[in-house]
Amino acid sequence: MKISIIVPTYNEEACIARALAALLALEGDFEVRVADGGSTDRTVEIARGMGVPVVEGARGRGPQMNRGAAGATGEVLLFLHADTLLPPDAYHRVAEALTDPAVAGGCFRLSFDHDHRFLRFSAFLTRFSFRLFHYGDGGYFVRAGIFRELGGYRPYPIMEDLDLWLRLLRAGRTVVVPASVVASARRFRRNGVYRQQLLGVVLVLLFLAGVKPHTLKRFYSEVR
């Protein structure tokens, strides 16, 4: 089983080399693809210099990931933020989860690179399958055929990850593998841990209540 890792980027010069080096060092049948959204720094140059193919296009995480997935050759697609690291046994974890043909996809548990007690608590909650605990920074993986049947990510400016997760729940069983990615807490450091967490919860609840993603994006831009 081949797994295609799709990494959406926009001006990730500070972390892309570390992220790609970690991915290229993983054991297993992987391919790594960067889907860039018009970076003006050295992100694309660094990725190509490391031998990683880059697909370029307009900015927007959902469309970027769709472009990255379009040329992927793996039976499984794994979408990973540029500031997030997979566990060393990621291939084994995903392959094991997908031995059950009823499983459409899943994600990893979450941990952060910042030792704040509230972030540790938030990370602890991601071991449970409740849908409100799982977003794109948990490293979604999905069978490529199912991803294409679903039409990929919708071109939302925000909440494209939760939207895909909700549709994936209807396509088959999803699993949370018992291993954690390590995500950057840079947004929490910049905006404040409690403020950023509260903002995230409010956005999710509004989305589930039917508020349009473009409205949510304007709200997020104004209050962050």
Side-chain angles (χ1 to χ4, degrees), residues 76-96:
V76 178
L77 305 174
L78 194 160
F79 299 95
L80 190 72
H81 292 182
D83 60 358
T84 301
L85 301 175
L86 289 173
D89 61 347
Y91 185 87
H92 166 74
R93 297 291 189 175
V94 174
E96 183 177 48

Side-chain angles (χ1 to χ4, degrees), residues 79-81 84 106-110 135-140 181:
F79 299 95
L80 190 72
H81 292 182
T84 301
C107 65
F108 293 83
R109 296 176 183 176
L110 188 63
Y135 312 107
D137 50 4
Y140 287 175
V181 298

Side-chain angles (χ1 to χ4, degrees), residues 20 33-34 39 41 51 53 62 68 72 74 90 137-138 181 186-187 202 216 223:
L20 295 180
R33 296 169 57 82
V34 166
S39 292
D41 64 3
D137 50 4
V181 298
R186 58 185 176 177
R187 285 177 301 152
V202 169
L216 294 176
V223 304

Side-chain angles (χ1 to χ4, degrees), residues 24-76:
L24 294 173
L26 289 174
E27 294 185 359
D29 188 4
F30 286 111
E31 71 169 346
V32 181
R33 296 169 57 82
V34 166
D36 191 70
S39 292
T40 56
D41 64 3
R42 297 179 60 247
T43 298
V44 172
E45 176 188 343
I46 292 169
R48 287 185 171 144
M50 297 177 71
V52 175
V54 179
V55 180
E56 298 182 77
R59 187 180 178 186
R61 184 173 282 165
Q64 285 176 233
M65 291 188 286
N66 287 342
R67 287 195 297 269
T73 60
E75 296 96 325
V76 178

